[in-house]
Amino acid sequence: MFLKVTKAVAALALTTGLVTPAMAELSGTLRIISDMSNPAPRAIMEGLAADFDAMHPDLSVELEVVDREAWKSQIRNALTANPPDVVNWYAANRMGPYVRAGLFEDISDMYTNGDLQGLDSVKGAMTMDGKQYGVPYTYYQWGIYYREDIFKELGLKEPATFDEEVANCAKIVESGRKCYAIGTKNYWTAGGWFDYMNMRTNGFDFHMKLATGEAKWTSDEVRATFANWRKLIDLGGFIDDHQSYSWQEGLPPFIAGEATAYLMGNFVVPHLRNAGLSDDQIDFYQFPKIADVPMGEDAPTDTFHIASNAQNKEAARAFLQFVTSPDVQSKINAADGLGQLPVNANATVGDDEFLKQGFDMLSNNATGGIAQFFDRDFPAEMAAIGMEGLQEFMVFPDNLDDILNRLESARQRIYK
């Protein structure tokens, strides 16, 4: 989808009346490629582009929205041949290949000269070799969303420990339901399960050692992670044929009450509400404790970057400043927007029970550390091989030895 934002379109912007920090008048064309392709994020992105366009009479904003999954394979070519000025991507390790290839602009000066106030807590996720290469605009908690009404029907309480999680699952299966909805066709949802099983079994620091190639996939620690995970698989806890479904296609069993929980990011909430579930029917809890280790959490951070060969870097920098300002952050992350958490410390959290629970969890109960997510923390090739193996384990758990040997061989090759 390509949108040439005009002043007429800008009049229809979703986020009118927002204030950006003072900046020089801009002119020319600002080209943005965004992977915010799902309906709610797309509407937000179109509103941001239109608002920014309306603020600058001599600037023309051109927005191209591409499919989120397709963008993962398209971004390098887009940054190399006739690059846009601004692109969406992800923080931490996922931006590494484009930083090392010289495709993302160094914007360290914006962090040091006061252009990006309120981003201190997330600055580290944008830092490589002491320099910053983009800005975060939203992040969100992961955790277990569950059917509160069915829990009440079965007399279940939110589990604080994994033993309680397993006991709950046994009662759910006994009632004729599945414990967990999931769709692993695109692999990454299996990565989310591994993140939590591993962080809870071995701790955040070990999980990061695995991500950086310092720990072996064939180690006793990793085997303990899979042994815990298998307890839920052997109970019959996951919906059947999940390898055939995308994460969205895994939602209907949860919505119909045939499965009672979904380990997912907070972006799932609008889908559940739009399907007719009320907040009295759904609730959220932190993935329960397994071993006596600090609780690490997945909180993926989405980002904007300037292409190194951008044609309008002045406008691109102004857009990054605009999109991270407190008012814009509060608006786009509100419950009727992205439904996520603002990255600017001076923004306000939306009046929504799930946003408040997520903010409290990440602020007070994520004592182990904040991970970005399996396919962001691991190098791209290792992530792809790893997630395929994780999905295979969920379908064929008896293949574990072959899977771990394959992943260990990949580790030895990839991290040389």
Side-chain angles (χ1 to χ4, degrees), residues 85-90 95 104 126 133-134 303-307:
D85 301 298
V86 174
V87 297
N88 280 129
W89 196 238
Y90 310 109
M95 70 178 186
F104 282 165
M126 307 309 305
Y133 291 91
T303 54
F304 283 105
H305 302 265
I306 299 174

Side-chain angles (χ1 to χ4, degrees), residues 319-364:
F319 181 79
L320 266 55
Q321 189 178 6
F322 164 74
V323 80
T324 54
S325 62
D327 287 347
V328 174
Q329 281 287 292
S330 300
K331 179 67 177 180
I332 68 174
N333 285 290
D336 60 352
L338 294 175
Q340 298 184 170
L341 299 173
V343 297
N344 192 306
N346 300 314
T348 57
V349 178
D351 185 15
D352 175 271
E353 67 168 294
F354 297 103
L355 294 179
K356 290 178 177 178
Q357 286 187 73
F359 183 78
D360 179 65
M361 182 184 75
L362 294 176
S363 300
N364 301 313

Side-chain angles (χ1 to χ4, degrees), residues 108 127-133:
S108 302
T127 301
M128 293 196 70
D129 298 326
K131 299 177 180 179
Q132 291 76 49
Y133 291 91

Side-chain angles (χ1 to χ4, degrees), residues 127-359:
T127 301
M128 293 196 70
D129 298 326
K131 299 177 180 179
Q132 291 76 49
Y133 291 91
V135 297
Y137 66 91
T138 188
Y139 77 136
Y140 54 90
Q141 81 271 18
W142 268 65
I144 297 181
Y145 295 82
Y146 71 100
R147 287 293 300 266
E148 184 179 14
D149 54 343
I150 298 176
F151 267 47
K152 289 179 178 177
E153 174 193 331
L154 298 177
L156 304 178
K157 296 181 179 180
E158 292 184 3
T161 68
F162 191 63
D163 286 344
E164 293 172 358
E165 180 81 32
V166 173
N168 278 359
C169 186
K171 292 179 181 178
I172 291 165
V173 170
E174 186 179 346
S175 76
R177 301 176 176 93
K178 295 292 187 180
C179 308
Y180 311 106
I182 189 172
T184 62
K185 183 169 67 175
N186 296 122
Y187 299 151
W188 58 267
T189 48
W193 269 96
F194 179 81
D195 282 353
Y196 276 98
M197 297 302 304
N198 197 42
M199 284 193 287
R200 294 293 185 267
T201 301
N202 297 306
F204 176 84
D205 290 343
F206 178 84
H207 187 67
M208 288 299 106
K209 286 182 179 179
L210 194 64
T212 55
E214 299 172 60
K216 294 182 178 180
W217 280 94
T218 50
S219 67
D220 291 342
E221 291 89 345
V222 173
R223 289 184 180 279
T225 293
F226 283 97
N228 285 325
W229 195 356
R230 183 156 184 172
K231 292 176 183 179
L232 301 176
I233 295 171
D234 287 348
L235 277 173
F238 295 91
I239 62 171
D240 298 331
D241 301 320
H242 54 77
Q243 70 273 19
S244 301
Y245 306 140
S246 67
W247 77 267
Q248 296 99 326
E249 291 167 341
L251 286 172
F254 181 90
I255 294 164
E258 298 164 0
T260 60
Y262 208 137
L263 175 63
M264 187 51 64
N266 197 59
F267 54 83
V268 74
V269 172
H271 294 267
L272 303 179
R273 288 172 171 159
N274 291 339
L277 293 178
S278 70
D279 288 2
D280 291 333
Q281 293 176 285
I282 52 177
D283 207 344
F284 170 88
Y285 62 86
Q286 186 174 21
F287 198 100
K289 189 178 187 70
I290 298 180
D292 187 19
V293 294
M295 304 277 268
E297 295 296 326
D298 273 340
T301 304
D302 291 350
T303 54
F304 283 105
H305 302 265
I306 299 174
S308 294
N309 293 322
Q311 297 300 304
N312 197 341
K313 292 184 180 181
E314 181 183 17
R317 284 170 169 253
F319 181 79
L320 266 55
Q321 189 178 6
F322 164 74
V323 80
T324 54
S325 62
D327 287 347
V328 174
Q329 281 287 292
S330 300
K331 179 67 177 180
I332 68 174
N333 285 290
D336 60 352
L338 294 175
Q340 298 184 170
L341 299 173
V343 297
N344 192 306
N346 300 314
T348 57
V349 178
D351 185 15
D352 175 271
E353 67 168 294
F354 297 103
L355 294 179
K356 290 178 177 178
Q357 286 187 73
F359 183 78

